[in-house]
Amino acid sequence: AVKQKRGEFIGAWAPYGYRKDPEDSHHLILNEETAPVVKRLFTLRVDGTNIQQIARQLDLEGILSPAAYLYEKGFVRTEKYKDVPWNAKVIKRILENPVYLGHMVQGKTRQSFYEGRPAVPVDEAEWIRVENTHDALVDRETFDIVQQLAGESRTDYHRKLGKYDHLETHENILL
């Protein structure tokens, strides 16, 4: 937690769009290959492209997803990552991450390795935030627009959830 409070990166792999500084593995620097892809994700989203369309477009263009990129570069050797396509969950995670504003936000989950317990989410108030620790890939205005669009999408989704509740349901005789 000491390194996190100093704004030092402690993860195994740098977030997509960044790489670990060869002179200081706790510092993030731009990845010349993937940083433009992250910038493009934000631009496409601001321009109104939905997340599924973004995923399809990147796959069609042959742009490697974060998992496939790690495999291609030899950071992970597990074959299952080789051809992982882009998906909405990964794109949403990138678009919501304040790391792309140049801020380090860590401690979002807590895990007990010695007890073999899985990672559990930590209350947002307990996250460790340190601002301006590395170069930003997106400006605050763009980031905020994308967050607003995500909020509108969530609201729209929840509004539609009960839309068909009034319809009669019938038992499925095939089950």
Side-chain angles (χ1 to χ4, degrees):
V2 172
K3 288 183 178 189
Q4 290 176 326
K5 287 177 182 168
R6 286 197 303 243
E8 296 181 24
F9 179 73
I10 62 164
W13 298 291
Y16 188 79
Y18 291 100
R19 61 188 176 96
K20 292 181 180 182
D21 187 334
E23 295 178 19
D24 177 4
S25 65
H26 299 295
H27 181 249
L28 298 178
I29 59 175
L30 299 180
N31 179 329
E32 303 78 22
E33 294 177 309
T34 57
V37 179
V38 172
K39 289 178 181 180
R40 187 160 168 230
L41 287 174
F42 279 91
T43 301
L44 286 167
R45 190 67 187 111
V46 167
D47 289 345
T49 310
N50 78 39
I51 291 178
Q52 293 294 347
Q53 291 169 324
I54 294 171
R56 272 193 297 277
Q57 189 169 338
L58 295 175
D59 283 335
L60 283 172
E61 293 175 20
I63 296 170
L64 297 175
S65 70
Y69 180 81
L70 288 173
Y71 179 83
E72 182 80 22
K73 295 298 175 184
F75 293 114
V76 293
R77 289 183 170 71
T78 309
E79 194 78 18
K80 71 178 183 179
Y81 296 113
K82 183 178 181 182
D83 296 313
V84 173
W86 282 93
N87 67 61
K89 190 175 180 179
V90 168
I91 292 172
K92 282 180 186 177
R93 201 175 294 143
I94 289 171
L95 294 174
E96 293 171 356
N97 196 336
V99 76
Y100 299 109
L101 286 168
H103 309 325
M104 195 62 65
V105 179
Q106 299 179 101
K108 293 180 181 181
T109 59
R110 195 167 286 130
Q111 191 168 1
S112 179
F113 291 108
Y114 65 91
E115 294 175 8
R117 279 195 258 144
V120 292
V122 171
D123 189 338
E124 191 173 339
E126 295 179 45
W127 293 356
I128 300 169
R129 301 171 192 271
V130 183
E131 296 198 352
N132 306 314
T133 57
H134 53 276
D135 290 336
L137 277 172
V138 65
D139 61 76
R140 171 53 82 178
E141 182 184 3
T142 302
F143 189 83
D144 288 346
I145 290 169
V146 169
Q147 303 325 298
Q148 182 181 345
L149 289 169
E152 289 169 6
S153 292
R154 272 191 296 277
T155 301
D156 194 42
Y157 170 78
H158 289 292
R159 187 176 48 77
K160 289 178 181 174
L161 274 180
K163 187 175 182 178
Y164 301 104
D165 287 352
H166 67 285
L167 296 177
E168 212 176 300
T169 57
H170 299 281
E171 185 179 338
N172 186 341
I173 61 172
L174 300 174
L175 294 178

